Amino acid sequence: MSLDEDYVSPQDSSWKKSIKGFLIGAVVAVSYAFTGDDLIDTFSTQMLVGDGKATSQHQTTDVFARLVSVALGVVLFIASIFGVFLVDRYGRRNLVLIGLIGTCAANLAAAVFFGQQKSFVSVCFAATKMFIGLGCGGPAWFLTSELVRPEHAWIFQPISTGVLLASTMLETFFFLPIDAALGNYRQEQS
């Protein structure tokens, strides 16, 4: 078998199906990046403490904020274990949709009560982690490899993961400058 016989043209229908699968996987990956999961991981203690004024100095965190940060990791771990078992029963598509909708609702509730009730906001953060563990976290990482043809997964899965990581990097990079420029939400509530 020569190299010419193995070559498949990009106009081949298998490539078109793989490109469609890649685009769907990339959209899911970007939507996962904008769930705020990584912002909560990185900045939850900063969000839950302080007087609301932007500062360039190190902020000390109270015990509550540190415990919430640890609890969020535990919630994500437990929810991910349940997600592994639920995926066979309900399917990846349903879990991704439930995860994204639930995460959106939890983040919306956290935003509405952000400056008022630290405990309620912490529960909303935990709900976000739960929905990510149940459905929209893990599938975003490997969904593209299942939506494209196996012979094309080697190229499309790394690109999809790169899109996810680039989106996450951009939102994490711009969070602190935007927070400093706009001021913290809690400051305006006082």
Side-chain angles (χ1 to χ4, degrees), residues 1-74:
M1 201 176 270
S2 72
L3 184 61
D4 292 332
E5 292 172 0
D6 290 339
Y7 176 74
V8 179
S9 167
Q11 286 78 25
D12 181 28
S13 67
S14 68
W15 272 97
K16 290 178 184 178
K17 290 177 183 175
S18 290
I19 290 171
K20 179 182 175 184
F22 163 72
L23 292 174
I24 292 169
V27 167
V28 170
V30 169
S31 63
Y32 164 73
F34 284 95
T35 61
D37 177 52
D38 293 302
L39 292 178
I40 291 170
D41 288 344
T42 308
F43 302 112
S44 64
T45 53
Q46 179 181 338
M47 293 175 187
L48 294 172
V49 299
D51 57 5
K53 296 178 184 165
T55 180
S56 61
Q57 296 177 345
H58 178 69
Q59 226 175 9
T60 58
T61 58
D62 60 4
V63 174
F64 176 79
R66 284 184 270 165
L67 288 175
V68 166
S69 185
V70 170
L72 293 176
V74 171

Side-chain angles (χ1 to χ4, degrees), residues 14-181:
S14 68
W15 272 97
K16 290 178 184 178
K17 290 177 183 175
S18 290
I19 290 171
K20 179 182 175 184
F22 163 72
L23 292 174
I24 292 169
V27 167
V28 170
V30 169
S31 63
Y32 164 73
F34 284 95
T35 61
D37 177 52
D38 293 302
L39 292 178
I40 291 170
D41 288 344
T42 308
F43 302 112
S44 64
T45 53
Q46 179 181 338
M47 293 175 187
L48 294 172
V49 299
D51 57 5
K53 296 178 184 165
T55 180
S56 61
Q57 296 177 345
H58 178 69
Q59 226 175 9
T60 58
T61 58
D62 60 4
V63 174
F64 176 79
R66 284 184 270 165
L67 288 175
V68 166
S69 185
V70 170
L72 293 176
V74 171
V75 167
L76 179 60
F77 178 75
I78 293 170
S80 296
I81 291 172
F82 281 108
V84 168
F85 294 108
L86 293 175
V87 75
D88 288 334
R89 182 174 183 145
Y90 297 106
R92 284 181 182 81
R93 179 179 183 270
N94 291 333
L95 286 181
V96 167
L97 290 173
I98 290 168
L100 290 173
I101 291 168
T103 299
C104 180
N107 286 341
L108 181 63
V112 168
F113 293 100
F114 192 75
Q116 300 163 9
Q117 299 176 3
K118 189 163 59 168
S119 297
F120 183 75
V121 171
S122 299
V123 169
C124 292
F125 283 174
T128 295
K129 299 306 255 179
M130 179 193 71
F131 282 113
I132 294 219
L134 289 176
C136 67
W141 287 93
F142 60 81
L143 185 63
T144 299
S145 66
E146 295 189 10
L147 294 176
V148 300
R149 297 190 45 93
E151 63 267 16
H152 304 139
W154 67 272
I155 186 69
F156 288 121
Q157 181 59 41
I159 294 171
S160 178
T161 300
V163 168
L164 168 67
L165 294 173
S167 302
T168 300
M169 181 270 307
L170 288 173
E171 75 170 359
T172 305
F173 178 78
F174 286 110
F175 175 77
L176 289 177
I178 290 171
D179 185 46

